[in-house]
C-alpha cells in the first residue's frame, strides 16, 4: 500500500480507529437550519462512506451562554440527544465513528448573554461578556459533563473538548483574558483548573469506553498567551485527567497571523505537535493546511503526529480517504484553502459549502443522478465554470465536447495560480484534467469557436462559458505604451518596470500587486521562510510563539501604488476571513494605497489624477489596469437565433468581481439538470 502509515489502524484500547485520518471540527451552519439535522446527517454519512477514520462535529454548545450566536446548536437536553441520533445512526450505518465537539464560545459568543473569566470584550466581537461568578464556573463544568453524557446517549463514540482557538477554556488559561484574583485566576495552577476539572469529571461520568479528545492550544499566537512550558504542563494534566487523545490547536481567532489560508504552507505547524509528542504518552493529532495524502503520509512517517486532522479537505472531497487507499490521489478534489465558501459563509450566517465542490453541505439538494436521456453537449470555454459543467455532465452520462481557444484548460485560474501564495490552484486544474480523462470529455484546445462555425456544430445543447474581457477605462492616454492590462502582466508576462501604479483595488488589483512586489521563491512553499515573515518563533522560547519576535519580509521587488476611485477600505470586498491577510502582506511590502481619486490622463510623465481637489502626477514606469471586466458571450445571441438551446454560466453570465465560487456552482448546478 502506497500510504501505509495513513492506513495503519490505531488501537485506543477499548476501540480501534481504522486509519489515521480524522475529519476535523468545522461549523457548517446546517446545525441551525430547518431540517438541518437530516442534512448534516447526510453530509457526515457521505464522509463516513468515504472511509475517514473518525469524524468530529462542528462545535455544539453545552448551554445558552456558550452559544456561538443566538439559537446556535446546543446539547443540553434529552430532546437534543434524540435528534442527534439521526446523525450518529447515519454515520454508523456507513461504518464510521463520530465524536461531538463541545464548544463554549466564551467572550467570542456573538450575543449579549456571553460570559468569560473576566469582563474583557473580544476584539472580534461587539458584545462585552459578563464575568462568571464561581457558582457560574461550577455550573458551566456541570453543563460540559451533562453535554458529554447526552452525547453518549445520542450514540456518539466520544466527545472533543474545545480548549483552543481563544474560546472559553482558552480564555481561562491565559493572563490576556483572565484577570481574576480568586482560585480560578492568578497563578497558572489556578488558571488551568477549568479544563482539568472538565476532562476529569467527564471521564468519571462517561466511563472508560468513550473517546475524549482534548483540543489543546499549543500555539496561541497572541500577546500574553501561554508559554510553551505552560502548554506542556497543561497537556500532562489533561492526559492524567483521562483524555484519550490530544488534538493540536493553533492560534486564536483574533490572532493577526494566518493559520489556515491558502498562503500558509502545507503542514506549517506539525513541528509544534512533534515537540509535544516528546512530552506526552497519549496519541496526538496534528492539524492545519494538510490537504493531500503525500503530505499526511510524510507527517506520520516522520513521527510528527499519530493522527492527521483535516476539516475543509473533506468539504472539497468526501472520498479523500477512499481515493488515497485505492492509490487514486490524482482524483482528489483538493482544498485550496480559499475560505470563500466555508468560513466566509459561516461568518455571514450562511450554510457552508466549498468553492471547488458546491455539493458540500448540499448533499440532499445537489445530486448528480445518471442521465435518463443522453445528449450531445458543447461547452465553450474551459475556465472553472465550463470545467465544472463539462465534467459533471459527462459524469452523468452525456456526450460532452469542451472547446477553448487557449492551449490549456483553466481560464482565469491560469493567472491565479501564478500569484505567490495561490499555488494550490494548480491542484484544481490537475483535478479537472483527471476528470476530463475519467469521464471521456472530448477536449478541443486551441479552438476558437466563431459565429461562422455554429451551423456546423451538431449538438443538442450549448453551454457558453467564455468568461470575461477586461473593462476599458475612459481615461485620456489609456492606450499609452506605459499601460498594461492585468492579463498582459499575469498571462503574457509583459515586462513591468520598477515603479508601478495599479488601478483597481479589488481581488485582481491585490493579486497583481502581490505578484509585482514578490521576488524569489514563494514563502508558501517554504515553512521556515514563512514563519520568519510572520514572526513565529519555531524554538518556542517566545511566549505564545510570537512575543518579542519581529516579522521579517524581504524587500519588495517593485515600488507599487494602488489606486481606487471610491472611499473606504482597500480590498473591502475581499473575503471576510482572508482580506486582512492580503492587506497586511501588501502593507509589509510597503505598497502605497491611494483612494478617493479621479484620473485625469496618462502620458510620458506618468499617471495624472486628482486627490483632495488637488491635481497630482505620479511618475511611474507602468500603469496596470485592474478595474473590472465585462461578460464575453458573443456566441449567445447567434446560437439563439439558430434556434439552439443555450445556457450561459460563469463570467460570461455575470462579470462582477471574478468569482470562481459562483462560476463552479453555476456549472455544477446546470450540469445536474441537463
Amino acid at each position: 500500500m502506497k500510504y501505509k502509515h495513513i492506513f495503519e489502524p490505531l488501537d485506543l484500547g477499548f476501540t480501534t480507529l481504522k486509519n489515521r485520518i480524522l475529519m476535523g471540527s468545522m461549523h457548517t451552519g446546517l446545525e441551525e437550519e430547518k431540517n438541518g439535522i437530516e442534512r448534516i446527517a447526510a453530509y457526515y454519512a457521505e464522509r463516513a462512506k468515504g472511509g475517514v477514520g473518525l469524524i468530529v462535529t462542528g462545535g455544539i454548545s453545552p448551554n445558552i451562554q456558550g452559544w456561538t450566536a443566538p439559537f446556535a446548536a446546543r446539547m443540553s437536553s434529552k430532546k437534543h440527544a434524540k435528534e442527534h441520533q439521526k446523525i450518529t445512526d447515519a454515520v454508523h450505518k456507513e461504518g464510521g465513528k463520530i465524536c461531538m465537539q463541545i464548544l463554549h464560545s466564551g467572550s467570542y459568543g456573538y450575543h449579549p448573554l456571553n460570559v468569560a473569566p473576566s469582563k474583557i470584550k473580544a476584539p472580534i466581537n461587539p458584545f462585552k461578556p459578563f464575568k462568571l461568578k464561581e457558582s457560574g464556573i461550577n455550573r458551566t463544568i456541570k453543563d460540559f459533563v451533562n453535554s458529554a453524557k447526552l452525547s453518549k446517549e445520542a450514540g456518539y463514540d466520544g466527545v472533543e473538548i474545545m480548549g483552543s482557538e481563544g474560546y472559553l477554556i482558552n480564555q481561562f488559561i491565559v493572563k490576556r483574558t483572565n484577570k481574576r484574583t480568586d482560585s480560578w485566576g492568578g497563578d497558572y495552577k489556578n488558571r488551568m483548573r477549568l479544563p482539568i476539572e472538565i476532562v476529569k469529571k467527564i471521564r468519571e461520568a462517561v466511563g472508560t469506553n468513550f473517546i475524549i479528545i482534548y483540543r489543546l492550544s499549543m500555539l496561541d499566537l497572541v500577546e500574553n498567551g501561554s508559554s510553551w512550558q505552560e502548554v506542556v504542563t497543561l497537556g500532562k494534566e489533561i492526559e492524567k485527567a483521562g483524555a484519550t487523545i490530544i488534538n493540536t490547536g493553533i492560534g486564536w481567532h483574533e490572532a493577526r497571523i494566518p493559520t489556515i489560508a491558502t498562503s500558509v504552507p502545507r503542514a506549517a505547524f506539525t513541528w509544534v505537535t512533534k515537540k509535544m509528542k516528546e512530552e506526552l504518552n497519549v496519541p496526538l493529532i496534528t492539524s492545519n493546511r494538510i490537504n493531500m495524502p503525500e503530505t499526511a503520509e510524510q507527517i506520520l512517517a516522520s513521527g510528527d503526529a499519530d493522527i492527521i486532522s483535516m476539516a475543509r479537505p473533506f468539504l472539497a472531497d468526501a472520498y479523500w480517504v477512499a481515493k488515497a487507499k485505492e492509490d487514486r490521489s490524482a482524483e482528489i478534489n483538493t482544498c485550496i484553502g480559499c475560505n470563500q465558501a466555508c468560513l466566509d459563509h459561516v461568518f455571514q450566517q450562511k450554510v457552508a459549502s466549498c468553492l471547488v465542490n458546491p455539493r458540500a453541505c448540499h448533499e440532499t439538494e445537489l445530486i448528480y443522478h445518471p442521465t435518463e436521456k443522453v445528449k450531445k453537449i458543447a461547452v465553450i470555454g474551459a475556465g472553472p465554470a465550463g470545467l465544472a459543467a463539462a465534467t459533471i455532465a459527462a459524469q452523468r452520462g452525456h456526450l460532452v465536447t469542451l472547446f477553448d481557444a487557449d492551449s490549456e484548460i483553466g481560464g482565469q485560474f491560469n493567472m491565479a495560480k501564478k500569484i505567490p501564495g495561490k499555488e494550490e490552484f494548480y491542484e484544481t486544474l490537475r483535478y479537472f484534467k483527471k476528470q476530463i480523462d475519467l469521464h471521456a470529455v472530448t477536449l478541443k484546445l486551441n479552438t476558437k469557436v466563431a459565429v461562422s462555425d455554429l451551423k456546423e456544430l451538431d449538438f443538442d445543447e450549448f453551454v457558453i462559458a467564455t468568461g470575461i474581457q477586461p473593462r476599458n477605462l475612459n481615461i485620456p492616454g489609456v492606450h499609452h505604451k506605459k499601460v498594461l492590462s492585468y492579463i498582459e502582466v499575469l498571462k503574457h508576462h509583459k515586462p513591468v518596470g520598477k515603479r508601478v501604479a495599479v488601478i483597481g483595488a479589488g481581488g485582481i488589483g491585490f493579486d497583481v500587486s502581490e505578484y509585482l512586489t514578490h521576488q524569489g521563491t514563494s514563502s508558501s512553499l517554504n515553512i521556515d521562510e514563512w514563519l520568519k515573515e510572520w514572526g513565529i518563533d519555531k524554538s518556542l522560547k517566545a511566549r505564545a510563539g510570537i512575543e518579542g519576535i519581529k516579522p521579517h519580509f524581504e524587500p519588495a521587488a517593485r515600488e507599487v501604488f494602488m489606486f481606487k476611485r471610491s472611499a473606504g477600505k482597500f480590498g473591502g470586498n475581499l473575503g471576510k476571513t482572508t482580506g486582512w491577510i492580503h492587506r497586511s502582506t501588501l502593507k509589509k511590502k510597503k505598497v502605497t494605497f491611494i483612494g478617493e481619486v479621479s484620473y485625469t490622463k496618462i502620458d510620458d510623465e506618468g499617471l495624472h489624477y486628482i486627490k483632495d481637489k488637488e491635481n497630482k502626477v505620479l511618475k511611474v514606469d507602468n500603469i496596470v489596469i485592474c478595474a473590472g471586466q465585462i461578460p464575453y458571450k458573443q456566441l449567445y445571441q447567434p446560437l439563439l437565433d439558430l434556434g439552439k438551446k443555450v445556457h450561459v454560466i460563469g463570467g460570461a453570465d455575470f462579470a462582477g468581481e471574478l468569482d470562481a465560487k459562483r462560476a463552479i456552482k453555476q456549472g455544477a448546478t446546470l450540469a445536474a439538470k441537463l
Side-chain angles (χ1 to χ4, degrees), residues 173-406:
I173 291 166
V174 301
K175 288 184 176 179
R176 175 186 181 86
T177 43
N178 186 343
K179 307 295 183 183
R180 304 176 73 97
T181 56
D182 61 6
S183 60
W184 299 95
D187 290 344
Y188 188 64
K189 187 176 180 181
N190 290 344
R191 286 185 276 120
M192 70 176 181
R193 277 182 67 197
L194 182 64
I196 295 167
E197 288 292 309
I198 287 171
V199 174
K200 189 184 294 181
K201 284 186 164 57
I202 286 178
R203 177 55 76 200
E204 290 170 0
V206 298
T208 55
N209 297 347
F210 193 70
I211 299 169
I212 298 178
I213 305 169
Y214 182 82
R215 185 150 174 159
L216 176 66
S217 186
M218 295 190 196
L219 195 63
D220 286 337
L221 300 179
V222 290
E223 296 291 329
N224 292 316
S226 295
S227 69
W228 178 246
Q229 193 49 56
E230 287 171 343
V231 175
V232 171
T233 300
L234 178 57
K236 289 180 176 179
E237 291 300 320
I238 293 296
E239 182 177 2
K240 276 193 247 176
T244 318
I245 304 169
I246 290 181
N247 197 354
T248 301
I250 301 291
W252 286 38
H253 286 316
E254 64 202 67
R256 292 291 88 184
I257 293 172
T259 56
I260 58 173
T262 189
S263 59
V264 179
R266 290 185 184 182
F269 297 103
T270 60
W271 51 273
V272 182
T273 315
K274 184 174 185 177
K275 193 171 177 68
M276 185 59 75
K277 268 182 69 66
E278 299 169 8
E279 308 287 348
L280 304 178
N281 297 308
V282 294
L284 292 188
I285 303 168
T286 198
S287 63
N288 289 37
R289 285 288 290 123
I290 303 164
N291 61 357
M292 287 298 280
E294 292 77 10
T295 306
E297 178 69 13
Q298 179 58 43
I299 293 164
L300 294 169
S302 307
D304 288 13
D306 303 292
I307 307 171
I308 303 293
S309 172
M310 299 183 296
R312 295 170 305 158
F314 283 105
L315 288 173
D317 198 324
Y319 293 90
W320 190 102
V321 174
K323 290 176 182 178
K325 190 172 186 178
E326 295 161 14
D327 196 13
R328 296 189 291 127
S329 60
E331 296 178 35
I332 290 174
N333 196 1
T334 308
C335 167
I336 61 174
C338 67
N339 293 357
Q340 290 179 32
C342 50
L343 295 184
D344 285 356
H345 275 210
V346 171
F347 276 99
Q348 294 162 15
Q349 283 80 54
K350 290 159 59 175
V351 172
S353 189
C354 178
L355 181 146
V356 299
N357 176 28
R359 272 201 81 236
C361 300
H362 296 81
E363 288 77 11
T364 61
E365 301 168 339
L366 185 54
I367 304 170
Y368 307 144
H369 289 302
T371 185
E372 294 178 1
K373 182 183 177 182
V374 176
K375 299 176 184 176
K376 290 174 66 180
I377 297 169
V379 179
I380 304 171
L387 288 167
T391 55
I392 293 167
Q395 175 189 327
R396 293 186 55 226
H398 292 300
L399 301 175
V400 180
T401 301
L402 177 60
F403 299 88
D404 200 279
D406 213 335

Side-chain angles (χ1 to χ4, degrees), residues 404-616:
D404 200 279
D406 213 335
S407 60
E408 59 183 340
I409 65 167
Q412 299 282 331
F413 265 34
N414 287 314
M415 289 182 278
K417 70 187 183 184
K418 295 174 183 176
I419 309 302
K422 290 192 173 182
E423 293 81 8
E424 294 289 6
F425 283 66
Y426 282 96
E427 297 287 4
T428 304
L429 298 181
R430 179 264 310 148
Y431 168 76
F432 276 122
K433 284 176 186 173
K434 189 67 177 177
Q435 294 300 303
I436 286 169
D437 292 341
L438 282 174
H439 302 300
V441 174
T442 300
L443 179 61
K444 294 194 174 184
L445 296 173
N446 300 304
T447 306
K448 183 175 177 62
V449 178
V451 173
S452 58
D453 301 322
L454 298 181
K455 287 184 181 179
E456 307 299 321
L457 297 177
D458 180 26
F459 292 95
D460 299 310
E461 299 192 31
F462 291 82
V463 178
I464 305 300
T466 43
I468 57 88
Q469 57 188 14
R471 178 183 284 115
N472 290 322
L473 290 184
N474 187 23
I475 303 173
V478 75
H479 299 297
H480 191 278
K481 63 183 179 180
K482 286 178 180 280
V483 177
L484 298 167
S485 73
Y486 70 89
I487 293 176
E488 289 176 308
V489 173
L490 297 178
K491 184 176 180 180
H492 302 301
H493 306 292
K494 291 283 185 75
V496 182
K498 287 291 186 181
R499 189 172 163 91
V500 186
V502 172
I503 293 180
I508 300 170
F510 271 78
D511 276 356
V512 167
S513 298
E514 177 64 42
Y515 179 82
L516 292 175
T517 55
H518 186 82
Q519 59 182 337
T521 305
S522 171
S523 62
S524 298
L525 305 175
N526 185 317
I527 292 173
D528 288 335
E529 285 303 310
W530 183 87
L531 293 172
K532 286 179 188 175
E533 281 188 355
W534 289 95
I536 300 171
D537 174 25
K538 198 172 180 181
S539 75
L540 293 177
K541 292 176 183 175
R543 178 172 286 276
I546 60 161
E547 287 194 10
I549 307 297
K550 289 186 177 179
H552 173 74
F553 267 74
E554 292 296 326
R558 294 175 178 83
E559 191 175 7
V560 173
F561 302 81
M562 184 183 284
F563 286 82
K564 68 169 186 161
R565 286 190 170 111
S566 60
K569 184 163 58 177
F570 276 70
N573 293 326
L574 298 178
K576 186 174 179 65
T577 59
T578 54
W580 69 270
I581 302 171
H582 300 304
R583 284 188 289 273
S584 177
T585 300
L586 292 190
K587 283 177 183 176
K588 288 169 181 173
K589 297 284 184 68
K590 298 190 174 3
V591 170
T592 302
F593 300 101
I594 305 173
E596 297 182 75
V597 304
S598 57
Y599 307 110
T600 309
K601 65 179 179 178
I602 296 168
D603 59 17
D604 288 345
E605 197 174 5
L607 176 63
H608 297 253
Y609 64 99
I610 298 171
K611 168 77 175 171
D612 298 329
K613 299 181 180 180
E614 183 181 343
N615 287 303
K616 295 176 180 272

